[in-house]
């Protein structure tokens, strides 16, 4: 059954493009960690092709190997043949999902998260409100005191400890409207993609994004009908639902008629930029999807072009940067975040060894593959500690949470903080004092 | 299929995690970087020490099981494909740099160390290990030694064989031999070190190697010279060497490759020129400066259309981009890329390129050529599609003629990729019937039961074509 689904979903031309040179292997975290050929991009593609060619049956080991992939796509930039590995692994996961028999509770959780929660932004805010109540009312303290959390697996407990203070309202509520005018002369009309989790757990980052854009001369439009980008869906094999969300977003931003669509989360940005691929077989939407995809930029690209670092205030601290895989390998944005950090007056930028390697967060990977995620994180934190930085900068919410968890796990709390690049830039922007960072 | 009892024996030696026999693992070790070749092993064993390798070989010898040794599996001759099944012995867990000896200028390594890691480790100390195969970011030193790998610096610095001073190797019966040592001179008996280098895993399993290091050159400079006529480019190569200059790099791209690279990278290469030479020199700053001036003058005299000398690191990078992008650009053209390595004396480069072009046109194929002009090692690269069997058959005939043309010009069927399975049918063209006989005798002396990498190097039937033959 899985075999038929794979044969149907997998792009055979793309599979054939892999020439098995192995250049992907040094870049692949799971290969580096295990040393198994099957745990490398070349190996996984070989397995996919073996199934498509009828050489092997897709058994449990096959599925396990596909699930062990972080989806960080570090293999793509180093591939001489330009194989679109990210698309192949998504197609494989879509096929696996189609035939997978989940236990009733996994089914329930998946259905709740993928269909009833993420796609409905209002529900996300409601959940954010609940979480905020939990965090503020003393329930959290009581729960911790009672040791109730000990029933959760370790990785969930670690997450609970570092989750930021949630917000029950989004940035539209906060700004009281969907159009925020540019300060001074208007240079661009920018559509702000606020994300689903971003707007609840990182609402301050979203507010800072709007502020920075507006002060840089952008009129910011927060398209009111936008929804979750669908990245978590696509990476978990729910590509049809991802397409559904993509159409909604394309429509929302097309209507807003913007010059640029800006994202402040690498994971979302890469997904948005691939809407043209996602909707490639949808004749009705293809043209608008291309319009949309070609306008997607990361916040660091827009700011690097527009802001004047001379007006920033002094920050006499050591800064290092963990790049988001999807920002780097998906959106191909590598220079801008670093050049922005290097431009902060007084700050010392220290390059993080293997800062281009996945931190192990990878969507919900750290929850479903705790062992591999944990060992990747430990290696990462060793390198982070060696930088002796005061501030560890990231550009994606998942990575930010993982880095916070890593700081907690490595006992670096009090010595170092993890900050989203937008929040750091808002901190050094002279005009206005930033709002306090929730810890 | 090996009996469970034998797999149990192997597990007891290397441990559960290092003995793989599930379908998914067998498929993952059924190939290397050679196009269209694949065969499943029975079991994959990943030893961590010489002792474990010995024990595995004793089990293999006792039960007459074939053993194919493998590192990263980046070779292009099918050398690590387990055509007869049996054990795939992966040495990538033996990946320690044992010692860097600054007194003797040697490095001692285990076979699973990546070549690039050797470079980085010694260059940090101001030392240099020159061999630089194109795949060195993934390839392991064990594989480099087994295949006597070349690279971009072959002309001036030689290849892997020139840097291997001593080896530790496990024989098929499980005994360990040590050859050579930290010695520049050693004529005690047959040179088994040199014999094992390039033996493609057919004689013994290399478990440790002592490599020679040299001081790191102080400076490096590069230039691009473009020619409207292939013969002028080839004459420049000969003239440079006739002028007693040995460049550190002397690379070549033909017109087809230039067009594809320019299409891919848009670096401003003129697409109407017939050939580009990438010429580099390293060493003492003054010598490098003088050599670069002379080389430029020679190219000018031979009617170079344009010469671009890099003065900064960024410019050098830009100049190198043309050569570095060649394979990437070519491999994006069609699904299947066959990178070959016919080699001729360097004075014969122009007729060899002309022969490749003629053969390509006659068979109606897309073959572009680039490679190491300085040492005559060319990479005619065919862009094709493995699914098109009719075309693949034409590819096969074309390459057969290309290898024959190389032999006719005094060259060889492979300069740096090895014989493996894909060149086995042509080996006799190069070494003759008595050459094959003596080689088989050596194989028998080391490996009387034909356990190590069987069916490699020597074709079972002469002239059986291998490009489309599936194992």
């Amino acid at each position: 059954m899985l075999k038929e689904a794979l044969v149907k979903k997998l792009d055979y031309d793309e599979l054939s493009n892999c020439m098995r040179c192995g250049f992907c292997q040094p870049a692949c975290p799971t290969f580096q960690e295990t040393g198994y050929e099957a745990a490398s991009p070349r190996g996984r593609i070989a397995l996919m092709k073996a199934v498509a060619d009828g050489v092997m049956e897709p058994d449990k080991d096959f599925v396990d190997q596909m699930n062990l992939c972080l989806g960080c796509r570090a293999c793509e930039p180093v591939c001489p043949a330009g194989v679109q590995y990210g698309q192949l692994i998504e197609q494989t996961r879509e096929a696996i999902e189609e035939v997978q028999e989940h236990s009733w509770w996994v089914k329930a959780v998946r259905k709740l998260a993928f269909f009833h929660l993420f796609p409905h932004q209002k529900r996300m805010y409601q959940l954010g409100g609940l979480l905020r109540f939990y965090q503020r009312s003393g329930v959290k303290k009581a729960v911790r005191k009672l040791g109730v959390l000990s029933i959760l697996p370790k990785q969930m407990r670690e997450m609970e400890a570092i989750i930021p203070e949630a917000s029950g309202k989004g940035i539209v509520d906060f700004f009281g409207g969907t159009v925020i005018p540019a300060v001074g002369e208007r240079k661009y009309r920018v559509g702000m993609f606020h994300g689903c989790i971003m707007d609840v757990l990182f609402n301050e980052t979203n507010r800072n994004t709007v502020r920075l854009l507006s002060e840089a001369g952008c009129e910011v439009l927060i398209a009111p009908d936008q929804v979750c980008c669908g990245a978590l869906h696509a990476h978990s094999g729910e590509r049809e639902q991802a397409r559904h969300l993509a159409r909604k977003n394309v429509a929302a931003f097309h209507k807003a008629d913007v010059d640029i669509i800006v994202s402040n989360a690498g994971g979302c940005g890469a997904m948005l930029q691939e809407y043209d691929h996602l909707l490639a077989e949808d004749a009705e939407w293809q043209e608008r999807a291309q319009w949309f995809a070609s306008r997607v930029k990361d916040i660091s690209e827009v700011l690097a072009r527009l802001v004047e670092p001379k007006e920033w205030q002094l920050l006499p601290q050591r800064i290092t940067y963990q790049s988001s895989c999807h920002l780097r390998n998906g959106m191909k944005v590598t220079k801008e975040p670093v050049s922005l950090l290097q431009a902060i007056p007084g700050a010392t930028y220290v390059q993080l060894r293997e800062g281009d390697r996945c931190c192990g967060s990878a969507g919900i990977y750290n929850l479903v593959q705790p062992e591999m995620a944990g060992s990747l994180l430990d290696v990462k934190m060793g390198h982070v500690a060696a930088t002796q930085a005061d501030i560890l900068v990231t550009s994606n919410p998942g990575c930010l949470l993982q880095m916070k968890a890593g700081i907690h796990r490595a006992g670096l709390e009090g010595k170092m903080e993890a900050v989203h690049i937008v929040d750091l830039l808002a901190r050094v922007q002279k005009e206005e004092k930033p709002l306090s960072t929730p810890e | 299929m090996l009996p469970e009892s034998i797999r149990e024996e192997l597990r007891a030696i290397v441990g559960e995690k290092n003995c793989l026999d599930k379908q998914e693992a067998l498929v993952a070790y059924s190939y290397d970087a050679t196009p269209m070749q694949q065969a499943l092993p029975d079991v994959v064993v990943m030893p961590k020490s010489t002792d474990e390798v010995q024990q595995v070989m004793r089990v293999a010898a006792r039960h007459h099981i074939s053993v194919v040794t493998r590192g990263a599996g980046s070779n292009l001759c099918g050398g690590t494909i387990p055509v007869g099944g049996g054990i795939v012995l992966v040495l990538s867990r033996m990946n320690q740099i044992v010692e860097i000896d600054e007194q003797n200028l040697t490095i001692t390594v285990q076979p699973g160390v990546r070549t690039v890691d050797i470079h980085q480790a010694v260059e940090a100390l101001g030392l240099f290990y020159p061999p630089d195969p194109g795949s060195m970011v993934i390839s392991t030193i064990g594989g480099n030694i087994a295949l006597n790998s070349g690279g971009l610096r072959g002309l001036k610095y030689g290849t892997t064989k020139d840097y291997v001073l001593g080896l530790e190797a496990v024989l098929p019966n499980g005994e360990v031999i040590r050859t050579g040592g930290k010695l520049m001179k050693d004529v005690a008996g047959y040179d088994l070190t040199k014999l094992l280098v390039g033996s493609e895993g057919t004689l013994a399993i290399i478990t440790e190697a002592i490599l020679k290091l040299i001081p790191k050159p102080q400076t490096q400079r590069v230039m691009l010279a473009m020619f409207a006529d292939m013969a002028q480019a080839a004459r420049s190569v000969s003239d440079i060497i006739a002028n007693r200059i040995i460049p550190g790099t002397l690379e070549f791209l033909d017109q087809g490759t230039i067009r594809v690279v320019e299409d891919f990278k848009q670096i401003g290469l003129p697409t109407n020129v017939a050939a580009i030479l990438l010429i580099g020199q390293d060493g003492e700053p003054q010598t490098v400066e003088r050599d670069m001036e002379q080389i430029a003058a020679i190219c000018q005299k031979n009617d170079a259309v344009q010469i671009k000398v890099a003065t900064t690191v960024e410019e050098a990078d830009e100049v190198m981009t043309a050569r570095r992008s060649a394979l990437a650009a070519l491999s994006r053209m069609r699904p299947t890329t066959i990178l070959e390595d016919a080699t001729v004396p360097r004075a014969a480069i122009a007729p060899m390129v002309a022969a490749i072009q003629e053969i390509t046109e006659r068979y109606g194929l897309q073959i572009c050529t680039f490679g190491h002009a300085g040492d005559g090692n060319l990479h005619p690269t065919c862009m094709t599609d493995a699914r098109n069997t009719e075309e693949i058959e034409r590819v096969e005939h074309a390459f057969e003629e290309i290898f024959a043309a190389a032999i006719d010009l005094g060259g060889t069927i492979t300069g740096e990729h090895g014989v493996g399975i894909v060149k086995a049918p042509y080996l006799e063209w190069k070494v003759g019937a008595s050459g094959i006989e003596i080689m088989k005798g050596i194989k028998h002396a080391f490996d009387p039961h034909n356990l190590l990498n069987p069916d490699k190097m020597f074709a079972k039937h002469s002239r059986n074509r291998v490009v489309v033959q599936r194992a």
Side-chain angles (χ1 to χ4, degrees), chain A residues 13 20-22 34 36-37 42 65 79-80, chain B residues 17 24 28-29 31 70 72-73 93 138 332 387:
Chain A
D13 281 337
R20 296 181 173 176
C21 65
T34 63
Y36 295 139
E37 177 76 26
R42 171 171 80 163
Q65 210 46 266
C79 174
Chain B
K17 271 175 68 181
E24 134 262 20
Y29 290 95
Y31 56 82
R70 166 192 155 116
R93 297 239 194 272
I138 48 161
R332 284 164 204 237
R387 291 166 285 183

PDB file of all heavy atoms in Angstrom, chain A residues 13 20-22 34 36-37 42 65 79-80, chain B residues 17 24 28-29 31 70 72-73 93 138 332 387:
ATOM      1  N   ASP A  13      11.818  11.911 -11.830  1.00  0.00           N
ATOM      2  CA  ASP A  13      12.902  12.680 -12.472  1.00  0.00           C
ATOM      3  C   ASP A  13      13.865  13.214 -11.423  1.00  0.00           C
ATOM      4  O   ASP A  13      15.074  13.163 -11.585  1.00  0.00           O
ATOM      5  CB  ASP A  13      12.322  13.866 -13.258  1.00  0.00           C
ATOM      6  CG  ASP A  13      11.764  13.403 -14.587  1.00  0.00           C
ATOM      7  OD1 ASP A  13      12.203  12.339 -15.073  1.00  0.00           O
ATOM      8  OD2 ASP A  13      10.877  14.092 -15.129  1.00  0.00           O
ATOM      9  N   ARG A  20      24.540  10.299  -6.748  1.00  0.00           N
ATOM     10  CA  ARG A  20      25.144   9.498  -5.677  1.00  0.00           C
ATOM     11  C   ARG A  20      26.605   9.844  -5.418  1.00  0.00           C
ATOM     12  O   ARG A  20      27.399   8.992  -5.032  1.00  0.00           O
ATOM     13  CB  ARG A  20      25.005   8.007  -5.994  1.00  0.00           C
ATOM     14  CG  ARG A  20      23.549   7.583  -6.026  1.00  0.00           C
ATOM     15  CD  ARG A  20      23.387   6.118  -6.319  1.00  0.00           C
ATOM     16  NE  ARG A  20      21.980   5.735  -6.160  1.00  0.00           N
ATOM     17  CZ  ARG A  20      21.512   4.534  -6.425  1.00  0.00           C
ATOM     18  NH1 ARG A  20      22.311   3.595  -6.851  1.00  0.00           N
ATOM     19  NH2 ARG A  20      20.245   4.256  -6.252  1.00  0.00           N
ATOM     20  N   CYS A  21      26.972  11.098  -5.638  1.00  0.00           N
ATOM     21  CA  CYS A  21      28.357  11.502  -5.441  1.00  0.00           C
ATOM     22  C   CYS A  21      28.703  11.557  -3.962  1.00  0.00           C
ATOM     23  O   CYS A  21      29.857  11.441  -3.587  1.00  0.00           O
ATOM     24  CB  CYS A  21      28.611  12.858  -6.089  1.00  0.00           C
ATOM     25  SG  CYS A  21      27.696  14.205  -5.335  1.00  0.00           S
ATOM     26  N   GLY A  22      27.679  11.774  -3.112  1.00  0.00           N
ATOM     27  CA  GLY A  22      27.924  11.780  -1.670  1.00  0.00           C
ATOM     28  C   GLY A  22      28.321  13.136  -1.100  1.00  0.00           C
ATOM     29  O   GLY A  22      28.598  13.250   0.090  1.00  0.00           O
ATOM     30  N   THR A  34      25.280   9.396  13.069  1.00  0.00           N
ATOM     31  CA  THR A  34      25.187   7.925  13.087  1.00  0.00           C
ATOM     32  C   THR A  34      26.269   7.245  12.257  1.00  0.00           C
ATOM     33  O   THR A  34      26.653   6.115  12.569  1.00  0.00           O
ATOM     34  CB  THR A  34      23.844   7.466  12.492  1.00  0.00           C
ATOM     35  OG1 THR A  34      23.795   7.878  11.115  1.00  0.00           O
ATOM     36  CG2 THR A  34      22.662   8.045  13.227  1.00  0.00           C
ATOM     37  N   TYR A  36      25.694   6.114   9.395  1.00  0.00           N
ATOM     38  CA  TYR A  36      25.005   5.144   8.525  1.00  0.00           C
ATOM     39  C   TYR A  36      24.653   5.776   7.181  1.00  0.00           C
ATOM     40  O   TYR A  36      24.025   6.837   7.135  1.00  0.00           O
ATOM     41  CB  TYR A  36      23.703   4.647   9.169  1.00  0.00           C
ATOM     42  CG  TYR A  36      23.872   3.841  10.431  1.00  0.00           C
ATOM     43  CD1 TYR A  36      23.020   4.036  11.505  1.00  0.00           C
ATOM     44  CD2 TYR A  36      24.864   2.875  10.534  1.00  0.00           C
ATOM     45  CE1 TYR A  36      23.155   3.292  12.679  1.00  0.00           C
ATOM     46  CE2 TYR A  36      25.009   2.126  11.700  1.00  0.00           C
ATOM     47  CZ  TYR A  36      24.158   2.339  12.774  1.00  0.00           C
ATOM     48  OH  TYR A  36      24.296   1.613  13.914  1.00  0.00           O
ATOM     49  N   GLU A  37      25.008   5.077   6.124  1.00  0.00           N
ATOM     50  CA  GLU A  37      24.673   5.553   4.781  1.00  0.00           C
ATOM     51  C   GLU A  37      23.172   5.823   4.638  1.00  0.00           C
ATOM     52  O   GLU A  37      22.757   6.818   4.038  1.00  0.00           O
ATOM     53  CB  GLU A  37      25.127   4.507   3.753  1.00  0.00           C
ATOM     54  CG  GLU A  37      24.781   4.807   2.307  1.00  0.00           C
ATOM     55  CD  GLU A  37      25.655   5.866   1.659  1.00  0.00           C
ATOM     56  OE1 GLU A  37      26.809   6.062   2.089  1.00  0.00           O
ATOM     57  OE2 GLU A  37      25.162   6.524   0.719  1.00  0.00           O
ATOM     58  N   ARG A  42      21.862  11.029   0.436  1.00  0.00           N
ATOM     59  CA  ARG A  42      22.109  10.092  -0.659  1.00  0.00           C
ATOM     60  C   ARG A  42      21.467   8.738  -0.362  1.00  0.00           C
ATOM     61  O   ARG A  42      20.839   8.131  -1.227  1.00  0.00           O
ATOM     62  CB  ARG A  42      23.626   9.925  -0.856  1.00  0.00           C
ATOM     63  CG  ARG A  42      23.996   8.819  -1.818  1.00  0.00           C
ATOM     64  CD  ARG A  42      25.473   8.819  -2.174  1.00  0.00           C
ATOM     65  NE  ARG A  42      26.307   8.204  -1.158  1.00  0.00           N
ATOM     66  CZ  ARG A  42      27.566   7.793  -1.369  1.00  0.00           C
ATOM     67  NH1 ARG A  42      28.120   7.955  -2.552  1.00  0.00           N
ATOM     68  NH2 ARG A  42      28.265   7.263  -0.402  1.00  0.00           N
ATOM     69  N   GLN A  65      13.692   5.567   8.890  1.00  0.00           N
ATOM     70  CA  GLN A  65      14.794   6.333   8.309  1.00  0.00           C
ATOM     71  C   GLN A  65      14.292   7.668   7.737  1.00  0.00           C
ATOM     72  O   GLN A  65      14.946   8.689   7.883  1.00  0.00           O
ATOM     73  CB  GLN A  65      15.455   5.485   7.211  1.00  0.00           C
ATOM     74  CG  GLN A  65      16.911   5.736   7.014  1.00  0.00           C
ATOM     75  CD  GLN A  65      17.696   5.789   8.302  1.00  0.00           C
ATOM     76  OE1 GLN A  65      17.910   6.864   8.861  1.00  0.00           O
ATOM     77  NE2 GLN A  65      18.126   4.630   8.794  1.00  0.00           N
ATOM     78  N   CYS A  79      24.727  20.216  -3.000  1.00  0.00           N
ATOM     79  CA  CYS A  79      24.506  19.184  -4.021  1.00  0.00           C
ATOM     80  C   CYS A  79      24.917  19.695  -5.395  1.00  0.00           C
ATOM     81  O   CYS A  79      24.336  20.656  -5.886  1.00  0.00           O
ATOM     82  CB  CYS A  79      23.032  18.783  -4.047  1.00  0.00           C
ATOM     83  SG  CYS A  79      22.648  17.640  -5.376  1.00  0.00           S
ATOM     84  N   PRO A  80      25.922  19.066  -6.037  1.00  0.00           N
ATOM     85  CA  PRO A  80      26.329  19.544  -7.362  1.00  0.00           C
ATOM     86  C   PRO A  80      25.183  19.454  -8.376  1.00  0.00           C
ATOM     87  O   PRO A  80      25.065  20.306  -9.247  1.00  0.00           O
ATOM     88  CB  PRO A  80      27.466  18.600  -7.760  1.00  0.00           C
ATOM     89  CG  PRO A  80      27.921  17.963  -6.513  1.00  0.00           C
ATOM     90  CD  PRO A  80      26.731  17.922  -5.601  1.00  0.00           C
TER      91      PRO A  80
ATOM     92  N   LYS B  17      25.207  -2.669  16.806  1.00  0.00           N
ATOM     93  CA  LYS B  17      25.001  -1.430  16.047  1.00  0.00           C
ATOM     94  C   LYS B  17      25.894  -1.331  14.812  1.00  0.00           C
ATOM     95  O   LYS B  17      25.649  -0.534  13.924  1.00  0.00           O
ATOM     96  CB  LYS B  17      25.295  -0.212  16.947  1.00  0.00           C
ATOM     97  CG  LYS B  17      24.094   0.268  17.721  1.00  0.00           C
ATOM     98  CD  LYS B  17      24.490   1.386  18.675  1.00  0.00           C
ATOM     99  CE  LYS B  17      24.898   2.659  17.949  1.00  0.00           C
ATOM    100  NZ  LYS B  17      25.307   3.708  18.906  1.00  0.00           N
ATOM    101  N   GLU B  24      16.952  -2.117   4.487  1.00  0.00           N
ATOM    102  CA  GLU B  24      17.232  -0.704   4.231  1.00  0.00           C
ATOM    103  C   GLU B  24      18.737  -0.443   4.232  1.00  0.00           C
ATOM    104  O   GLU B  24      19.266   0.309   3.409  1.00  0.00           O
ATOM    105  CB  GLU B  24      16.435   0.137   5.237  1.00  0.00           C
ATOM    106  CG  GLU B  24      17.115   1.253   5.945  1.00  0.00           C
ATOM    107  CD  GLU B  24      17.595   0.860   7.327  1.00  0.00           C
ATOM    108  OE1 GLU B  24      17.743  -0.341   7.608  1.00  0.00           O
ATOM    109  OE2 GLU B  24      17.847   1.740   8.138  1.00  0.00           O
ATOM    110  N   ALA B  28      21.266   0.616   1.079  1.00  0.00           N
ATOM    111  CA  ALA B  28      22.097   1.814   1.217  1.00  0.00           C
ATOM    112  C   ALA B  28      23.585   1.540   0.955  1.00  0.00           C
ATOM    113  O   ALA B  28      24.338   2.461   0.685  1.00  0.00           O
ATOM    114  CB  ALA B  28      21.912   2.428   2.603  1.00  0.00           C
ATOM    115  N   TYR B  29      24.004   0.283   1.062  1.00  0.00           N
ATOM    116  CA  TYR B  29      25.402  -0.035   0.756  1.00  0.00           C
ATOM    117  C   TYR B  29      25.531  -0.853  -0.539  1.00  0.00           C
ATOM    118  O   TYR B  29      26.486  -1.589  -0.721  1.00  0.00           O
ATOM    119  CB  TYR B  29      26.055  -0.765   1.937  1.00  0.00           C
ATOM    120  CG  TYR B  29      26.250   0.156   3.122  1.00  0.00           C
ATOM    121  CD1 TYR B  29      25.315   0.212   4.144  1.00  0.00           C
ATOM    122  CD2 TYR B  29      27.345   1.021   3.178  1.00  0.00           C
ATOM    123  CE1 TYR B  29      25.469   1.086   5.211  1.00  0.00           C
ATOM    124  CE2 TYR B  29      27.510   1.890   4.245  1.00  0.00           C
ATOM    125  CZ  TYR B  29      26.568   1.919   5.262  1.00  0.00           C
ATOM    126  OH  TYR B  29      26.727   2.790   6.310  1.00  0.00           O
ATOM    127  N   TYR B  31      25.609   0.617  -3.550  1.00  0.00           N
ATOM    128  CA  TYR B  31      26.064   1.484  -4.636  1.00  0.00           C
ATOM    129  C   TYR B  31      27.240   2.328  -4.175  1.00  0.00           C
ATOM    130  O   TYR B  31      27.521   2.429  -2.980  1.00  0.00           O
ATOM    131  CB  TYR B  31      24.930   2.426  -5.063  1.00  0.00           C
ATOM    132  CG  TYR B  31      24.391   3.240  -3.902  1.00  0.00           C
ATOM    133  CD1 TYR B  31      25.037   4.403  -3.494  1.00  0.00           C
ATOM    134  CD2 TYR B  31      23.286   2.823  -3.181  1.00  0.00           C
ATOM    135  CE1 TYR B  31      24.599   5.123  -2.407  1.00  0.00           C
ATOM    136  CE2 TYR B  31      22.835   3.539  -2.083  1.00  0.00           C
ATOM    137  CZ  TYR B  31      23.490   4.684  -1.707  1.00  0.00           C
ATOM    138  OH  TYR B  31      23.060   5.399  -0.620  1.00  0.00           O
ATOM    139  N   ARG B  70      35.142  -0.544   2.001  1.00  0.00           N
ATOM    140  CA  ARG B  70      34.580   0.702   1.515  1.00  0.00           C
ATOM    141  C   ARG B  70      34.732   1.824   2.540  1.00  0.00           C
ATOM    142  O   ARG B  70      34.719   1.591   3.747  1.00  0.00           O
ATOM    143  CB  ARG B  70      33.101   0.434   1.229  1.00  0.00           C
ATOM    144  CG  ARG B  70      32.254   1.609   1.029  1.00  0.00           C
ATOM    145  CD  ARG B  70      30.801   1.170   1.047  1.00  0.00           C
ATOM    146  NE  ARG B  70      30.032   2.319   1.433  1.00  0.00           N
ATOM    147  CZ  ARG B  70      29.143   2.903   0.640  1.00  0.00           C
ATOM    148  NH1 ARG B  70      28.850   2.386  -0.516  1.00  0.00           N
ATOM    149  NH2 ARG B  70      28.523   3.978   1.043  1.00  0.00           N
ATOM    150  N   ALA B  72      33.800   6.155   1.982  1.00  0.00           N
ATOM    151  CA  ALA B  72      32.632   6.990   1.741  1.00  0.00           C
ATOM    152  C   ALA B  72      31.846   6.540   0.509  1.00  0.00           C
ATOM    153  O   ALA B  72      30.752   7.026   0.258  1.00  0.00           O
ATOM    154  CB  ALA B  72      33.067   8.445   1.575  1.00  0.00           C
ATOM    155  N   GLY B  73      32.397   5.642  -0.253  1.00  0.00           N
ATOM    156  CA  GLY B  73      31.686   5.189  -1.456  1.00  0.00           C
ATOM    157  C   GLY B  73      31.570   6.297  -2.484  1.00  0.00           C
ATOM    158  O   GLY B  73      30.511   6.489  -3.083  1.00  0.00           O
ATOM    159  N   ARG B  93      34.342   4.104  10.463  1.00  0.00           N
ATOM    160  CA  ARG B  93      34.418   4.275  11.922  1.00  0.00           C
ATOM    161  C   ARG B  93      35.879   4.322  12.403  1.00  0.00           C
ATOM    162  O   ARG B  93      36.146   4.665  13.540  1.00  0.00           O
ATOM    163  CB  ARG B  93      33.708   3.132  12.647  1.00  0.00           C
ATOM    164  CG  ARG B  93      32.214   3.035  12.379  1.00  0.00           C
ATOM    165  CD  ARG B  93      31.415   3.157  13.668  1.00  0.00           C
ATOM    166  NE  ARG B  93      30.037   2.755  13.508  1.00  0.00           N
ATOM    167  CZ  ARG B  93      29.054   3.579  13.115  1.00  0.00           C
ATOM    168  NH1 ARG B  93      29.323   4.833  12.843  1.00  0.00           N
ATOM    169  NH2 ARG B  93      27.818   3.140  13.000  1.00  0.00           N
ATOM    170  N   ILE B 138      34.475  14.483   0.863  1.00  0.00           N
ATOM    171  CA  ILE B 138      33.818  13.286   1.397  1.00  0.00           C
ATOM    172  C   ILE B 138      34.726  12.067   1.395  1.00  0.00           C
ATOM    173  O   ILE B 138      34.611  11.202   2.244  1.00  0.00           O
ATOM    174  CB  ILE B 138      32.526  12.924   0.633  1.00  0.00           C
ATOM    175  CG1 ILE B 138      32.761  12.941  -0.875  1.00  0.00           C
ATOM    176  CG2 ILE B 138      31.399  13.791   1.022  1.00  0.00           C
ATOM    177  CD1 ILE B 138      31.699  12.157  -1.590  1.00  0.00           C
ATOM    178  N   ARG B 332      23.606  19.133 -14.083  1.00  0.00           N
ATOM    179  CA  ARG B 332      22.222  19.619 -14.063  1.00  0.00           C
ATOM    180  C   ARG B 332      21.547  19.535 -15.424  1.00  0.00           C
ATOM    181  O   ARG B 332      20.353  19.779 -15.559  1.00  0.00           O
ATOM    182  CB  ARG B 332      22.174  21.062 -13.555  1.00  0.00           C
ATOM    183  CG  ARG B 332      22.351  21.088 -12.052  1.00  0.00           C
ATOM    184  CD  ARG B 332      22.688  22.451 -11.527  1.00  0.00           C
ATOM    185  NE  ARG B 332      23.371  22.313 -10.247  1.00  0.00           N
ATOM    186  CZ  ARG B 332      22.960  22.876  -9.115  1.00  0.00           C
ATOM    187  NH1 ARG B 332      21.927  23.649  -9.104  1.00  0.00           N
ATOM    188  NH2 ARG B 332      23.630  22.685  -8.009  1.00  0.00           N
ATOM    189  N   ARG B 387      17.488   5.943 -18.151  1.00  0.00           N
ATOM    190  CA  ARG B 387      16.251   5.249 -18.521  1.00  0.00           C
ATOM    191  C   ARG B 387      16.137   5.027 -20.029  1.00  0.00           C
ATOM    192  O   ARG B 387      15.332   4.243 -20.495  1.00  0.00           O
ATOM    193  CB  ARG B 387      15.039   6.070 -18.036  1.00  0.00           C
ATOM    194  CG  ARG B 387      14.922   6.081 -16.529  1.00  0.00           C
ATOM    195  CD  ARG B 387      13.964   7.145 -16.045  1.00  0.00           C
ATOM    196  NE  ARG B 387      14.545   8.482 -16.128  1.00  0.00           N
ATOM    197  CZ  ARG B 387      13.934   9.578 -15.706  1.00  0.00           C
ATOM    198  NH1 ARG B 387      12.730   9.519 -15.211  1.00  0.00           N
ATOM    199  NH2 ARG B 387      14.531  10.750 -15.794  1.00  0.00           N
TER     200      ARG B 387
END
